[in-house]
């Protein structure tokens, strides 16, 4: 299991192997009757043929033998392996062909964004960084989720709370999906911020303390989920469904604004009751 800041060569090798092994040859246009197959997925020579590179090059990449593929090779591999956009971006991050974000990761809310979070009331809203650290929130968000003021700052992290805060384990009705999407998002952030030791420490803690996280992390799923729906089991308001939207400010791309709204009339009534407390 990989921990720590990103060893790009090792992770690139593992990612290429898992994506090759999951691909059905028929989906890649490989004739079914070529040869019998003892293992699932494509063979290395088939990936090489589809990508227009040598088999030896694919072997050395998968064995983490110090190669740094060009942007053209990365694009060819992404096409050959039929990667979805988030996986393609992840592969480019590992090969260090996307522009790196400059400056230190945000650890405090940009003041104008913190004011915007407050101004979004009565809609629950919060501001996070790429690590899922919660940097700012309004009172409606605290009533919907947790009293963040009562938490030590290191625990104000959406992933940490979902995994390791006891009362949050039953909060999401579809916990497996929520956690799966969060882990896939966190893996994308891990590749995009390869030198962030705080993010690496968070991942290491989650790996060592939660078997479910470790299992999902090992799947190497990659997905950046900016909108969706969650069904919550609130201790006071009961069941309610919220939709969320994530926005990234142009001047502060490391900070993400997350806005919740009720998905139906019953859920809106539940939010109104929480707001009136």
């Amino acid at each position: 299991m990989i921990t720590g800041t990103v060893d790009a060569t090792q992770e690139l090798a593992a990612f290429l192997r898992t994506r090759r092994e999951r691909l059905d040859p028929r989906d890649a246009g490989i004739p079914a009757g070529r040869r019998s197959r003892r293992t699932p997925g494509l063979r290395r020579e088939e990936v090489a043929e589809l990508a227009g590179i040598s088999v030896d090059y694919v072997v050395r990449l998968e064995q983490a033998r110090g190669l740094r593929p060009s942007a053209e090779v990365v694009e060819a591999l992404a096409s050959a392996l039929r990667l979805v956009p988030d996986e393609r971006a992840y592969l480019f991050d590992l090969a260090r062909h996307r522009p790196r974000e400059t400056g230190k990761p945000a650890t405090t809310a940009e003041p104008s964004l913190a004011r915007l979070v407050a101004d979004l009331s009565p809609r629950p809203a919060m501001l996070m960084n790429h690590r899922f650290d919660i940097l700012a929130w309004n009172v409606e968000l605290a009533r919907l989720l947790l009293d963040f003021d009562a938490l030590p700052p290191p625990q104000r992290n959406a992933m940490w709370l979902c995994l390791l805060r006891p009362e949050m384990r039953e909060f999401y009705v579809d916990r497996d999906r929520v956690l799966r999407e969060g882990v896939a998002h966190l893996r994308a952030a891990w590749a995009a911020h390869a030198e962030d030791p705080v993010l690496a420490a968070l991942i290491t803690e989650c790996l060592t303390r939660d078997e479910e996280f470790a299992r999902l992390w090992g799947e190497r799923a990659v997905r950046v989920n900016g909108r969706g729906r969650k069904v919550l089991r609130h201790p006071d308001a009961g069941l309610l469904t919220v939709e969320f939207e994530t926005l990234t400010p142009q001047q502060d791309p490391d900070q993400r604004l997350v806005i919740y709204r009720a998905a139906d009339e019953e859920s809106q009534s539940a939010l109104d009751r929480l707001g009136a407390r």
Side-chain angles (χ1 to χ4, degrees):
M1 185 65 65
I2 296 175
T3 61
T5 52
V6 182
D7 183 331
T9 302
Q10 292 288 342
E11 179 59 20
L12 178 66
F15 188 66
L16 290 174
R17 287 196 303 271
T18 59
R19 291 312 179 263
R20 173 174 62 81
E21 291 167 357
R22 78 170 184 185
L23 190 59
D24 190 319
R26 293 170 296 182
D27 293 336
I30 306 295
R34 272 196 173 183
R35 282 156 43 193
S36 61
R37 294 177 182 269
R38 298 178 181 176
T39 57
L42 298 186
R43 299 186 178 95
R44 287 168 173 165
E45 57 266 31
E46 291 168 339
V47 172
E49 181 180 346
L50 290 169
I53 57 180
S54 71
V55 178
D56 179 65
Y57 197 85
V58 174
V59 170
R60 286 187 289 161
L61 281 174
E62 288 196 2
Q63 292 179 348
R65 286 159 59 182
L67 297 179
R68 180 180 175 183
S70 67
E72 291 76 16
V73 168
V74 173
E75 185 62 55
L77 287 168
S79 177
L81 296 171
R82 294 178 172 259
L83 301 186
V84 300
D86 288 336
E87 293 173 329
R88 179 181 175 276
Y90 184 70
L91 189 63
F92 270 82
D93 278 333
L94 293 174
R96 302 297 181 256
H97 285 303
R98 282 212 301 177
R100 314 311 297 167
E101 293 186 12
T102 59
K104 295 182 179 180
T107 56
T108 59
E110 202 287 326
S112 64
L113 293 176
R115 290 195 296 272
L116 176 59
V117 169
D119 291 343
L120 282 167
S121 294
R123 295 198 186 277
M126 63 181 170
L127 194 68
M128 296 195 298
N129 62 12
H130 68 273
R131 302 171 186 147
F132 289 156
D133 291 334
I134 300 167
L135 308 178
W137 58 91
N138 59 18
V139 65
E140 288 79 8
L141 193 281
R143 289 172 179 168
L144 179 64
L145 299 182
L146 279 174
D147 181 3
F148 297 106
D149 281 317
L151 297 177
Q155 293 184 16
R156 295 174 190 163
N157 178 279
M159 180 60 69
W160 192 97
L161 291 169
C162 182
L163 288 170
L164 303 175
R165 182 85 176 181
E167 63 265 38
M168 294 296 290
R169 294 195 66 85
E170 303 300 325
F171 188 74
Y172 297 104
V173 172
D174 191 0
R175 175 181 168 80
D176 182 72
R177 178 184 60 81
V178 170
L179 187 56
R180 184 177 295 275
E181 291 177 354
V183 172
H185 195 147
L186 195 65
R187 179 171 279 279
W190 183 67
H193 299 81
E195 307 304 324
D196 183 353
V198 178
L199 176 59
L202 170 67
I203 294 169
T204 299
E205 182 181 8
C206 292
L207 284 169
T208 55
R209 295 185 59 184
D210 191 274
E211 292 182 359
E212 191 175 11
F213 180 92
R215 175 179 60 82
L216 293 173
W217 185 260
E219 293 179 4
R220 288 187 165 80
V222 182
R223 184 184 180 193
V224 178
N225 192 29
R227 63 168 58 97
R229 175 177 290 210
K230 296 177 181 179
V231 182
L232 311 180
R233 189 181 289 109
H234 196 278
D236 297 318
L239 287 178
L240 67 152
T241 304
V242 294
E243 296 173 340
F244 68 90
E245 190 79 29
T246 305
L247 307 176
T248 302
Q250 284 188 317
Q251 287 190 246
D252 299 279
D254 191 49
Q255 302 191 32
R256 291 90 191 265
L257 179 65
V258 184
I259 306 168
Y260 291 90
R261 62 178 180 268
D264 51 56
E265 291 185 4
E266 291 184 1
S267 298
Q268 184 60 60
S269 296
L271 289 180
D272 292 342
R273 291 195 301 272
L274 288 174
R277 289 175 56 192

